[in-house]
């Protein structure tokens, strides 16, 4: 039997806190929480919700330093592995759909160590 969505998010948050060893001003837990509204879009497509864009804009605002951007990138990669049924092709287009620019592609193939 599968766990509830809250249990899955809590599990992802713990994994991200353990995996993300870089000191940054944004935690993986914060990022996961802010981007939870994007899950429906990443599974079904359609219109991007205002809540999702709010999370994407928060990611952009919080990613001020190289360490912040690398930590956020690593977190996003780990989050993408934690959910099934996501269309990861849609993820890379989210910043543009929300009117912000993020200096790396949101993709499992991104080398986060090269994000500056």
């Amino acid at each position: 039997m599968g766990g509830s969505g809250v249990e899955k998010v809590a599990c992802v948050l713990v994994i991200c806190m353990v995996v993300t060893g870089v000191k940054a001003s944004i935690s993986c837990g914060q990022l996961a929480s802010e981007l939870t509204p994007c899950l429906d879009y990443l599974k079904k497509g359609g219109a991007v919700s205002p809540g999702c864009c709010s999370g994407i804009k928060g990611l952009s605002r919080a990613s001020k330093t190289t360490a912040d951007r690398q930590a956020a990138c690593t977190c996003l990669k780990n989050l993408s592995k934690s959910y099934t049924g996501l269309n990861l092709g849609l993820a890379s287009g989210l910043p543009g759909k929300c009117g912000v620019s993020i200096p790396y592609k949101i993709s499992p193939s991104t080398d986060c160590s090269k994000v500056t």
Side-chain angles (χ1 to χ4, degrees):
M1 191 180 301
S4 74
V6 173
E7 290 171 336
K8 289 178 183 175
V9 170
C11 182
V12 168
L13 297 178
V14 171
I15 291 169
C16 288
M17 286 185 265
V18 171
V19 171
T20 305
V22 177
K23 292 288 183 193
S25 64
I26 185 169
S27 75
C28 194
Q30 288 172 298
L31 187 58
S33 178
E34 286 189 30
L35 297 179
T36 297
C38 298
L39 290 176
D40 280 344
Y41 171 74
L42 294 173
K43 288 182 179 183
K44 302 173 190 168
V48 179
S49 73
C52 175
C53 280
S54 177
I56 293 292
K57 289 175 182 175
L59 165 65
S60 179
R61 281 190 306 272
S63 299
K64 296 183 189 301
T65 68
T66 297
D68 292 338
R69 289 185 286 277
Q70 289 177 346
C73 176
T74 301
C75 177
L76 290 170
K77 285 179 72 165
N78 291 327
L79 287 172
S80 73
K81 296 173 191 171
S82 300
Y83 292 96
T84 57
L86 298 182
N87 180 341
L88 298 176
L90 294 174
S92 63
L94 274 172
K97 289 190 175 285
C98 294
V100 297
S101 176
I102 294 174
Y104 55 89
K105 184 177 180 181
I106 299 176
S107 168
S109 64
T110 300
D111 182 349
C112 297
S113 69
K114 294 186 175 167
V115 171
T116 59

